[in-house]
Short mmCIF file of all heavy atoms in Angstrom, two decimals:
data_model
loop_
_atom_site.label_atom_id
_atom_site.label_comp_id
_atom_site.label_asym_id
_atom_site.label_seq_id
_atom_site.Cartn_x
_atom_site.Cartn_y
_atom_site.Cartn_z
N ASP A 185 -9.99 47.88 -8.20
CA ASP A 185 -9.34 47.27 -9.36
C ASP A 185 -10.34 46.40 -10.12
O ASP A 185 -10.44 46.48 -11.35
CB ASP A 185 -8.17 46.38 -8.94
CG ASP A 185 -6.96 47.14 -8.44
OD1 ASP A 185 -6.81 48.33 -8.78
OD2 ASP A 185 -6.16 46.52 -7.71
N LYS A 186 -11.06 45.57 -9.38
CA LYS A 186 -12.01 44.65 -10.02
C LYS A 186 -13.05 45.40 -10.83
O LYS A 186 -13.36 45.02 -11.96
CB LYS A 186 -12.70 43.78 -8.97
CG LYS A 186 -11.77 42.76 -8.35
CD LYS A 186 -12.49 42.00 -7.24
CE LYS A 186 -11.53 41.04 -6.53
NZ LYS A 186 -12.17 40.37 -5.39
N ALA A 187 -13.57 46.49 -10.27
CA ALA A 187 -14.59 47.27 -10.97
C ALA A 187 -14.00 47.90 -12.24
O ALA A 187 -14.62 47.87 -13.31
CB ALA A 187 -15.15 48.35 -10.05
N GLU A 188 -12.80 48.46 -12.14
CA GLU A 188 -12.15 49.10 -13.29
C GLU A 188 -11.84 48.08 -14.38
O GLU A 188 -12.12 48.31 -15.56
CB GLU A 188 -10.85 49.78 -12.84
CG GLU A 188 -10.09 50.41 -13.98
CD GLU A 188 -8.74 50.98 -13.56
OE1 GLU A 188 -8.44 51.03 -12.35
OE2 GLU A 188 -7.98 51.35 -14.47
N PHE A 189 -11.30 46.94 -14.00
CA PHE A 189 -10.90 45.94 -14.99
C PHE A 189 -12.13 45.28 -15.63
O PHE A 189 -12.12 44.97 -16.82
CB PHE A 189 -9.99 44.89 -14.36
CG PHE A 189 -8.72 45.47 -13.77
CD1 PHE A 189 -8.07 44.83 -12.74
CD2 PHE A 189 -8.19 46.67 -14.23
CE1 PHE A 189 -6.91 45.35 -12.20
CE2 PHE A 189 -7.04 47.21 -13.68
CZ PHE A 189 -6.39 46.55 -12.67
N LYS A 190 -13.17 45.10 -14.85
CA LYS A 190 -14.40 44.53 -15.40
C LYS A 190 -15.01 45.50 -16.42
O LYS A 190 -15.45 45.08 -17.49
CB LYS A 190 -15.39 44.26 -14.26
CG LYS A 190 -16.63 43.53 -14.69
CD LYS A 190 -17.50 43.19 -13.48
CE LYS A 190 -18.69 42.37 -13.87
NZ LYS A 190 -19.52 42.01 -12.71
N ALA A 191 -14.99 46.78 -16.11
CA ALA A 191 -15.51 47.79 -17.03
C ALA A 191 -14.68 47.82 -18.32
O ALA A 191 -15.22 47.93 -19.42
CB ALA A 191 -15.54 49.16 -16.38
N GLY A 192 -13.35 47.73 -18.17
CA GLY A 192 -12.47 47.70 -19.35
C GLY A 192 -12.75 46.50 -20.23
O GLY A 192 -12.82 46.61 -21.45
N PHE A 193 -12.95 45.34 -19.61
CA PHE A 193 -13.26 44.12 -20.34
C PHE A 193 -14.59 44.28 -21.07
O PHE A 193 -14.70 44.00 -22.26
CB PHE A 193 -13.32 42.94 -19.37
CG PHE A 193 -13.59 41.61 -20.03
CD1 PHE A 193 -12.56 40.80 -20.43
CD2 PHE A 193 -14.90 41.17 -20.22
CE1 PHE A 193 -12.80 39.58 -21.03
CE2 PHE A 193 -15.16 39.95 -20.82
CZ PHE A 193 -14.10 39.16 -21.23
N LYS A 194 -15.61 44.76 -20.35
CA LYS A 194 -16.95 44.87 -20.93
C LYS A 194 -17.01 45.86 -22.09
O LYS A 194 -17.81 45.70 -23.00
CB LYS A 194 -17.96 45.25 -19.85
CG LYS A 194 -18.28 44.10 -18.93
CD LYS A 194 -19.38 44.45 -17.96
CE LYS A 194 -19.81 43.20 -17.23
NZ LYS A 194 -21.03 43.41 -16.49
N ALA A 195 -16.15 46.88 -22.06
CA ALA A 195 -16.15 47.86 -23.14
C ALA A 195 -15.74 47.24 -24.47
O ALA A 195 -16.12 47.73 -25.53
CB ALA A 195 -15.20 49.01 -22.79
N PHE A 196 -15.00 46.13 -24.41
CA PHE A 196 -14.51 45.49 -25.63
C PHE A 196 -15.08 44.10 -25.86
O PHE A 196 -14.77 43.47 -26.86
CB PHE A 196 -12.98 45.40 -25.60
CG PHE A 196 -12.31 46.72 -25.83
CD1 PHE A 196 -12.05 47.57 -24.77
CD2 PHE A 196 -11.96 47.12 -27.10
CE1 PHE A 196 -11.43 48.79 -24.97
CE2 PHE A 196 -11.33 48.33 -27.32
CZ PHE A 196 -11.07 49.18 -26.25
N GLN A 197 -15.88 43.61 -24.94
CA GLN A 197 -16.37 42.23 -25.08
C GLN A 197 -17.31 42.09 -26.27
O GLN A 197 -17.94 43.04 -26.70
CB GLN A 197 -17.06 41.76 -23.80
CG GLN A 197 -18.44 42.33 -23.57
CD GLN A 197 -19.05 41.87 -22.26
OE1 GLN A 197 -18.42 41.24 -21.45
NE2 GLN A 197 -20.31 42.19 -22.06
N ARG A 198 -17.38 40.86 -26.76
CA ARG A 198 -18.26 40.54 -27.88
C ARG A 198 -19.64 40.17 -27.32
O ARG A 198 -19.84 40.14 -26.11
CB ARG A 198 -17.69 39.37 -28.68
CG ARG A 198 -16.30 39.67 -29.21
CD ARG A 198 -15.73 38.56 -30.05
NE ARG A 198 -15.69 37.29 -29.33
CZ ARG A 198 -15.22 36.17 -29.83
NH1 ARG A 198 -14.77 36.14 -31.06
NH2 ARG A 198 -15.21 35.06 -29.14
N GLU A 199 -20.56 39.89 -28.22
CA GLU A 199 -21.92 39.54 -27.79
C GLU A 199 -21.95 38.31 -26.91
O GLU A 199 -22.81 38.17 -26.05
CB GLU A 199 -22.82 39.33 -29.02
CG GLU A 199 -23.16 40.60 -29.73
CD GLU A 199 -24.04 40.38 -30.94
OE1 GLU A 199 -24.65 39.30 -31.08
OE2 GLU A 199 -24.15 41.32 -31.75
#
Side-chain angles (χ1 to χ4, degrees):
D185 288 338
K186 290 176 184 176
E188 177 185 351
F189 301 154
K190 187 175 184 178
F193 182 92
K194 286 186 171 192
F196 286 87
Q197 75 182 8
R198 302 182 303 181
E199 288 180 16

